[in-house]
């Protein structure tokens, strides 16, 4: 049953991690290491069953292969889940036991923060293994990726405007930004600096007030964001907001935002095309976060990080070329770009291990 599932999704290795004394139950899934070691965050979640945890880690690790490949990184896809409640089940022993399992893989899997995990938890993991990104800046970590993700989103937006309207003059267009959190607010700031008109919404009124007073945005209700006369809809909150109910209401010509899993289904993705809307694939647009942590492997440098964000423009342009070339929706073209890159680079047969031990930039604390 498990091997059948692994066959379907093409995973290389799945590791079940158990330490009774530390109360650790975790699964590490390595999906693909053709491009390099598998990088992806660790999620801590009170899964209702082991099967649910397994399904999640298999799905998420495969997603990381595609995201890292489209981002142009020399990195494969992996992910880990810890079964437990982040509010009550965390301990030093748990994270150190988990770190020992990561270490045992010798660099085939490199971990990072994800839902339910913060930088302090990663400090414990880091005591047992150096195959960790997203640690404190004092250890050579990269810190909060959100400003980079916002800047990367702007690059993706420019490529998308260029494709749709033949120019990338951000300030000429009207935006509907949903979600003013770490990424959304910074993105609004970047739009404002370029002179754009912006509609905003968030469940947090204080954030809405800030966007209005500091960036001259116009506040609209949570549900109204789908009806405003905007050229661009930018989902920066939750996934699944482009669905059967919302799509017919959207007046935009472009969808480009930082949220993960924006399309409720592939069918909706096909419907987006029929309505003449250009969809900027989410995982290509929001790759700023993973690019930022990937740079830690070489020794983090802010300047290089900003340069790397600009490559998101070219990644999007390439996706639109493939979409035209093969006559397929952009969400499928993004997957194809990833698959083509993995296939081509795989044929070069890089010696396994290249890129596995590039931690020399990290000053390891004791
Ligand atoms: P965040 O939690 O800081 O912000 C999310 C914001 O959305 C919050 O302000 C929240 O109040 C608001 N929100 C929630 N439900 C809403 C609703 N129904 N309508 C309007 N607003 C709502 O998260 P973030 O770090 O800014 O990330 C935003 C999105 O981008 C997420 O989907 C995340 O997975 C994705 N993402 C973030 C990064 C990053 O670097 N932070 C990287 C890649 C992808």
């Amino acid at each position: 049953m498990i091997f059948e599932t692994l066959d379907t999704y093409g995973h290389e290795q799945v590791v079940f991690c158990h330490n009774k004394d530390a109360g650790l139950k975790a699964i590490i899934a390595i999906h693909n290491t053709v491009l390099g070691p598998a990088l992806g965050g660790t999620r801590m979640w009170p899964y209702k069953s082991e099967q649910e945890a397994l399904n999640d880690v298999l799905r998420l690790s495969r997603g990381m292969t595609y995201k890292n490949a489209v981002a142009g990184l020399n990195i494969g896809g992996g992910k880990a889940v810890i079964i437990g409640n982040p509010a009550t089940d965390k301990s030093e022993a748990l994270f150190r036991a988990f770190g020992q399992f990561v270490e045992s893989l010798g660099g085939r899997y490199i971990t990072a923060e994800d839902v339910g995990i913060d930088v302090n938890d990663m400090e414990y993991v880091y005591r047992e293994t150096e195959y960790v990104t997203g640690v404190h800046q004092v250890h050579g970590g990269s810190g909060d990726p959100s400003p980079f993700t916002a800047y990367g989103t702007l690059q993706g937006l420019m490529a998308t405007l260029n494709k749709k309207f033949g120019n990338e003059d951000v300030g000429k267009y009207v935006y509907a930004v949903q979600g003013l959190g770490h990424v959304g607010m910074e993105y609004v700031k970047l739009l404002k600096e370029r002179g754009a008109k912006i509609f905003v919404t968030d469940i947090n009124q204080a954030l809405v007030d800030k966007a209005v007073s500091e960036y001259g945005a116009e506040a609209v209700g949570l549900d109204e964001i789908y009806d405003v006369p905007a050229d661009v809809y930018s989902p920066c909150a939750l996934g699944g907001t482009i669905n059967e109910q919302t799509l017919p209401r959207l007046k935009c010509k472009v969808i480009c935002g930082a949220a993960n899993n924006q399309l409720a289904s592939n069918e909706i993705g096909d419907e987006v095309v029929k309505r003449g809307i250009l969809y900027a694939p989410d995982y290509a647009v929001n790759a700023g976060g993973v690019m930022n942590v990937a740079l830690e492997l070489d020794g983090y440098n802010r300047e290089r990080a900003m340069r790397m964000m600009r490559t998101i423009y070219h990644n999007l342009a390439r996706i639109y070329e493939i979409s035209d070339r093969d006559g397929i929706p952009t969400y499928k073209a993004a997957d194809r770009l990833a698959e083509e890159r993995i296939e081509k680079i795989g044929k070069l047969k890089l010696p396994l291990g290249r890129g596995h031990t590039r931690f020399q930039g990290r000053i390891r604390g004791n």
Side-chain angles (χ1 to χ4, degrees), residues 67 144-146 149 178-184 201-204 207 222 236-239 258-260 286-287 289:
K67 184 170 196 155
D144 178 13
S146 308
T149 303
Q178 180 180 42
L180 298 166
H182 292 95
V183 181
T201 194
D202 197 292
I203 48 176
N204 182 334
L207 295 174
L222 287 177
C236 295
L238 311 168
N260 278 314
N286 69 20

Side-chain angles (χ1 to χ4, degrees), residues 172-300:
K172 245 172 84 173
Y173 300 100
V174 180
Y175 298 83
V177 180
Q178 180 180 42
L180 298 166
H182 292 95
V183 181
M185 189 66 85
E186 183 69 21
Y187 176 66
V188 164
K189 176 173 167 245
L190 295 171
L191 295 178
K192 178 65 186 170
E193 282 168 1
R194 286 153 184 81
K197 159 130 187 77
I198 314 157
F199 293 101
V200 295
T201 194
D202 197 292
I203 48 176
N204 182 334
Q205 189 56 38
L207 295 174
V208 173
D209 293 345
K210 181 176 172 188
V212 171
S213 62
E214 287 189 25
Y215 306 124
E218 185 172 327
V220 298
L222 287 177
D223 193 49
E224 257 180 281
I225 197 77
Y226 303 109
D227 303 314
V228 294
D231 303 301
V232 180
Y233 166 53
S234 294
C236 295
L238 311 168
T241 61
I242 303 154
N243 54 47
E244 276 176 26
Q245 283 74 43
T246 59
L247 183 58
R249 292 163 61 185
L250 292 177
K251 294 171 185 62
C252 62
K253 291 280 171 241
V254 162
I255 297 172
C256 179
N260 278 314
N261 305 317
Q262 295 168 19
L263 300 173
S265 65
N266 287 351
E267 292 70 35
I268 282 292
D270 300 338
E271 191 58 33
V272 166
V273 179
K274 287 190 197 136
R275 288 175 181 264
I277 299 173
L278 183 59
Y279 168 67
D282 44 17
Y283 71 79
V285 171
N286 69 20
V290 74
M291 286 179 168
N292 210 43
V293 292
L295 276 171
E296 287 184 28
L297 309 187
D298 286 334
Y300 187 70

